[in-house]
Amino acid sequence: MLPLGMRSALVSLLLLGILLGAWELSHPGTGAGGAGSAVPPPSQILKHAASELADPFYDAGPNDKGIGIQILYSLARVLAGYGLAALIAIPFGFVIGMSPLLSRALDPFIQVLKPISPLAWMPLALFVIQDSGLSAIFVIFICSIWPMLINTAFGVASVKRDYLNVARTLELSPVRTAFSVILPAAAPTILTGMRISVGISWLVIVAAEMLVGGTGIGYYVWNEWNNLNLTSVVFAILMIGVVGMLLDLALARAARAVQYAE
Amino acid sequence: MTIKSLDDPFDPRSDLRHGHGCRCASCAPAGDAPAALPASAETMIDRAVESAIVRAVFDHHDAARRRFLQLVGGGTLAAALGAVLPLEKVKAAVKEAGGPLEKKELKVGFVPITCATPIIMANPMGFYDKHGLKVEVIKTAGWAVARDKSLNGEYDASHMLTPMPLAITVGAGSVAQPFVMPAVENINGQAITLHVKHKDKRDPKLWKGFKFAVPFDYSMHNFLLRYYVAEHGLDPDKDIQIRVVPPPEMVANLRAGNVDGYLAPDPFNQRAVYEGTGFIHLLSKEIWDRHPCCAFAASSEFAERMPNTFAALFRAIVDATHYASKPAHRAEIAKAIAPRAYLNQPEEVVTQVLTGKFPDGLGNQRDVPDRIDFDPFPWHSMGVWILTQMKRWGYLKGDVDYKRIAEQVYLASDCGKVMKDLGYAPPKSTYAKYTLMGKTFDPARPAAYLDGFAIKRV
């Protein structure tokens, strides 16, 4: 009997094969008017992917760049918005978590702002900030800040009383307590918040770039949609999935690093 | 068609009396050798200067000029004129009109539709370079974004819809900011496309309950569709539904049955035919022949702060627009603007639109050379017509000073000057009467025109 890991990998491959095979076979083929109006088969998408990935960094002017450059633009925007959000959310969440008063007072604001869709922010951002690039970054910032804020506050608030009592008996300064007791204890929860946020940022960027255009993977999707080119759109969807997965993996690894046994 | 006023003035056979667009018997397109047109803008300007001087000398007595030239020859006249007038210096001065450019690198936005042809083609075909500019043409996701990026100064100038600079200037649907529209991008070029399942419903009276899409509220598409159905007795706000849908989403929505049809810019009408999803019910030129559609616009602030740059950009656009107006250039233009960086459409579809040789989805192969045409002159009367329709459908409230707004926004006299500089003959007046579906529009009496409609919101 093979080990579990091998067996699950085999089942995954089998499922993928069945899925792609059924998809390929269900394609009506290149009949009159038929091929244009159907979702392209995997073989066509693979062919397209190969040609796009063969030269991912070409630059043919402001409106036509390789998929690699587009993804880098998107990643840069995501990291800028997400980084800003982390810079603000984590210290602020810390404060909220330490103070039950602030926590209760700010809760209604967070609850109202949290569920607002990124696209609803876009017109306001464009109007106020007057710069489409910064607007996209702002939209990522505003959408990725909440999970980090809430998780940090929650993590800090639920640090075990025992730890704090020990810190008090050892007469640690408040700053020292924060850094050597609360932060390590809350770190796994904070990291979980950061992981949720990076997922949201990556979701938001595509929508934001479809609106403001110019560069990025969202612009790529919009540009190919303009041409009703589903092959490119499906290829872009796969790329978005892969990059999103890599971002998530990176944070999962970071989360494992801060995990500690009691 | 050749431009007679650009013929060699030193040639006794040439005729300087007739302008661009002259329809008299001797100007009729048949038999004219296109070679008579100067090849580059430089020679065109040279020609225009020579022509103007020779015409000034002979004071419009063209017959006298021809007799004189037959007698002494063109070279003698040129030499004689050169002796009293530094011809070369005059030519150089005209070319440099306006002095040094304040800014050479510009950003110009466009929405990827065939209406943007002159703005786009000026890039790959070198019209911006020719006028000393380095222009980045930036693809924009929709009209609202083009408006916002123009308002906030990210774009120095932009492709817009002809009603947009009027609407922005009066603050309808945006913050009020004075905009100017020096040139019209294209005339005609739109169509009403219906879903193939409606092939038997060609009579608009059968359209009750239909859902239509237009690209933007402040668009000729919206106003022409409203006009068309209202002339057939349907109230566009009650009997049909009109939605704003971005052009790229139109074909997909039509296929899904979310809309029954649209009045939209090309290539999305032709694209629906190409995809087998829709058919072309009516070209917009059949509602109003030579109607304006898209525009080239910039904020007044840019035009005033950088007059020389603005003028150079303006000249490049007028130049490109005239180049695009020649049917012989259309196939070459389609090739230049179809790639991914510009329209990102199958070249075949773009060629069908620009050359006017296209299948209509009903089984006919049609040949309409001016299906889309290019004429930059921003008639004030066009502005007045648009404002009457904005008023008619409730986009403008209160008293409207039609003429004042149109004359503030549409830079007809400036465009006329640029056309003249480049050697094209502008119209003499900036107002004209139009006939739309048998009804005459008199720009001098907009209020009376508005009163004449049975279906309206005022």
Side-chain angles (χ1 to χ4, degrees):
Chain A
M1 200 70 178
L2 289 162
L4 182 67
M6 290 274 260
R7 273 184 289 156
S8 67
L10 274 179
V11 175
S12 292
L13 278 177
L14 191 70
L15 282 175
L16 181 70
I18 293 173
L19 185 77
L20 292 184
W23 182 359
E24 182 81 43
L25 289 176
S26 69
H27 186 70
T30 43
S37 50
V39 177
S43 56
Q44 207 174 314
I45 293 163
L46 278 178
K47 220 167 83 194
H48 181 76
S51 75
E52 286 272 5
L53 293 174
D55 184 14
F57 295 105
Y58 75 88
D59 185 349
N63 305 312
D64 185 13
K65 298 182 199 296
I67 188 83
I69 297 186
Q70 306 284 22
I71 288 179
L72 287 180
Y73 267 109
S74 296
L75 273 177
R77 284 191 190 119
V78 161
L79 292 181
Y82 175 77
L84 268 177
L87 275 181
I88 292 176
I90 294 170
F92 206 57
F94 224 91
V95 174
I96 296 176
M98 304 270 270
S99 152
L101 171 74
L102 264 183
S103 163
R104 288 202 162 198
L106 290 175
D107 191 56
F109 295 98
I110 296 175
Q111 296 309 328
V112 167
L113 291 173
K114 192 177 63 165
I116 296 173
S117 152
L119 292 190
W121 287 109
M122 196 43 117
L124 182 71
L126 266 178
F127 187 84
V128 175
I129 301 176
Q130 311 230 324
D131 181 292
S132 56
L134 287 182
S135 299
I137 292 173
F138 166 78
V139 168
I140 291 162
F141 164 80
I142 200 80
C143 290
S144 61
I145 196 168
W146 310 115
M148 285 194 269
L149 189 68
I150 294 167
N151 269 47
T152 307
F154 174 76
V156 168
S158 52
V159 170
K160 283 192 180 157
R161 292 286 116 194
D162 300 352
Y163 296 176
L164 295 176
N165 290 339
V166 171
R168 204 164 300 143
T169 40
L170 292 173
E171 288 184 356
L172 290 181
S173 69
V175 176
R176 189 100 195 267
T177 314
F179 278 96
S180 56
V181 178
I182 302 175
L183 191 61
T189 329
I190 296 175
L191 255 295
T192 310
M194 292 177 75
R195 203 171 150 187
I196 298 171
S197 277
V198 88
I200 290 180
S201 311
W202 192 244
L203 282 181
V204 169
I205 191 70
V206 175
E209 285 171 347
M210 278 180 102
L211 260 192
V212 298
T215 47
I217 188 76
Y219 166 79
Y220 178 91
V221 173
W222 174 79
N223 195 19
E224 295 303 325
W225 181 19
N226 204 34
N227 190 12
L228 304 170
N229 186 345
L230 279 184
T231 314
S232 294
V233 172
V234 176
F235 163 67
I237 290 173
L238 291 176
M239 292 305 290
I240 293 167
V242 168
V243 174
M245 184 183 75
L246 292 177
L247 281 175
D248 192 60
L249 272 181
L251 274 163
R253 187 144 298 172
R256 225 171 298 141
V258 300
Q259 211 82 302
Y260 69 97
E262 293 209 10
Chain B
M1 194 189 311
T2 63
I3 300 174
K4 294 225 163 186
S5 58
L6 278 187
D7 283 349
D8 185 353
F10 300 121
D11 183 342
R13 287 161 308 170
S14 66
D15 185 339
L16 300 182
R17 288 167 303 173
H18 302 253
H20 178 51
C22 178
R23 301 250 154 111
C24 77
S26 74
C27 292
D32 264 342
L37 248 191
S40 73
E42 301 271 296
T43 37
M44 210 174 276
I45 292 169
D46 288 352
R47 271 288 168 79
V49 172
E50 288 166 359
S51 180
I53 292 168
V54 172
R55 264 184 289 181
V57 168
F58 288 95
D59 191 26
H60 295 286
H61 294 101
D62 208 48
R65 177 186 61 93
R66 292 197 207 185
R67 275 198 305 276
F68 180 75
L69 283 176
Q70 273 158 4
L71 227 72
V72 303
T76 318
L77 174 61
L81 280 179
V84 291
L85 200 72
L87 257 184
E88 292 313 311
K89 271 192 192 155
V90 174
K91 286 178 196 169
V94 170
K95 269 178 234 165
E96 278 168 23
L101 300 174
E102 297 90 350
K103 184 177 171 188
K104 283 198 172 123
E105 299 190 354
L106 300 176
K107 287 195 163 76
V108 175
F110 74 94
V111 173
I113 53 179
T114 43
C115 300
T117 296
I119 290 182
I120 304 172
M121 64 177 262
N123 203 32
M125 300 178 89
F127 285 91
Y128 294 126
D129 302 343
K130 206 154 78 185
H131 293 272
L133 295 168
K134 201 172 164 311
V135 173
E136 229 181 272
V137 289
I138 301 169
K139 207 188 278 194
T140 313
W143 297 113
V145 178
R147 175 198 61 203
D148 291 346
K149 288 193 174 182
S150 301
L151 283 171
N152 71 29
E154 268 183 68
Y155 292 158
D156 295 297
S158 178
H159 172 206
M160 284 192 180
L161 295 154
T162 38
M164 283 172 70
L166 295 167
I168 294 174
T169 300
V170 299
S174 83
V175 212
Q177 187 175 326
F179 259 63
V180 290
M181 190 187 97
V184 169
E185 276 302 295
N186 72 302
I187 54 176
N188 299 339
Q190 324 304 310
I192 298 180
T193 298
L194 294 179
H195 193 283
V196 279
K197 72 181 175 204
H198 295 312
K199 273 187 183 168
D200 55 340
K201 295 199 185 120
R202 300 296 301 280
D203 182 355
K205 293 197 174 61
L206 302 171
W207 292 356
K208 252 191 183 165
F210 268 32
K211 282 174 281 200
F212 280 95
V214 295
F216 198 62
D217 272 342
Y218 300 95
S219 67
M220 286 305 288
H221 312 88
N222 187 17
F223 299 143
L224 287 176
L225 180 63
R226 284 167 174 272
Y227 188 94
Y228 179 72
V229 297
E231 287 300 291
H232 284 94
L234 294 182
D235 187 318
D237 290 315
K238 293 179 188 134
D239 297 329
I240 60 169
Q241 213 188 83
I242 299 180
R243 303 176 178 172
V244 172
V245 174
E249 296 167 37
M250 284 182 171
V251 179
N253 270 301
L254 189 70
R255 180 188 289 141
N258 283 346
V259 294
D260 296 285
Y262 47 75
L263 199 159
D266 267 311
F268 296 99
N269 301 297
Q270 200 56 49
R271 192 67 200 261
V273 173
Y274 180 80
E275 301 287 327
T277 307
F279 66 90
I280 293 175
H281 165 72
L282 183 94
L283 295 175
S284 60
K285 79 174 281 258
E286 296 164 55
I287 302 174
W288 171 7
D289 193 16
R290 301 182 75 77
H291 72 80
C293 180
C294 282
F296 175 71
S299 68
S300 305
E301 196 243 330
F302 170 70
E304 277 156 23
R305 202 162 42 88
M306 301 186 182
N308 299 341
T309 308
F310 177 72
L313 188 59
F314 189 4
R315 279 202 294 273
I317 294 287
V318 171
D319 212 0
T321 308
H322 274 290
Y323 188 84
S325 73
K326 311 258 169 341
H329 298 153
R330 297 286 176 83
E332 164 202 8
I333 293 169
K335 203 181 190 66
I337 66 173
R340 204 192 237 186
Y342 303 112
L343 294 185
N344 194 21
Q345 291 286 339
E347 194 189 314
E348 184 189 344
V349 174
V350 180
T351 310
Q352 286 171 346
V353 172
L354 290 185
T355 59
K357 291 186 176 58
F358 60 97
D360 64 357
L362 290 163
N364 310 316
Q365 180 69 34
R366 298 184 62 181
D367 186 1
V368 188
D370 59 349
R371 168 184 177 166
I372 182 167
D373 208 346
F374 303 92
D375 182 345
F377 196 70
W379 292 85
H380 289 141
S381 40
M382 287 174 171
V384 173
W385 186 86
I386 291 167
L387 289 165
T388 62
Q389 301 303 303
M390 282 169 67
K391 174 91 176 145
R392 177 182 182 186
W393 303 115
Y395 293 98
L396 284 179
K397 306 267 185 268
D399 284 334
V400 180
D401 192 343
Y402 300 97
K403 273 189 143 174
R404 190 186 58 79
I405 302 172
E407 286 172 17
Q408 180 195 340
V409 178
Y410 285 19
L411 303 183
S413 53
D414 296 67
C415 187
K417 222 157 57 205
V418 169
M419 285 169 78
K420 217 183 267 168
D421 282 352
L422 290 172
Y424 309 102
K428 292 220 162 46
S429 155
T430 64
Y431 286 92
K433 288 185 182 178
Y434 305 116
T435 306
L436 288 83
M437 298 174 72
K439 225 175 231 166
T440 305
F441 163 68
D442 180 357
R445 304 174 62 233
Y449 180 65
L450 207 46
D451 284 339
F453 293 112
I455 303 173
K456 56 178 180 274
R457 297 281 95 79
V458 281

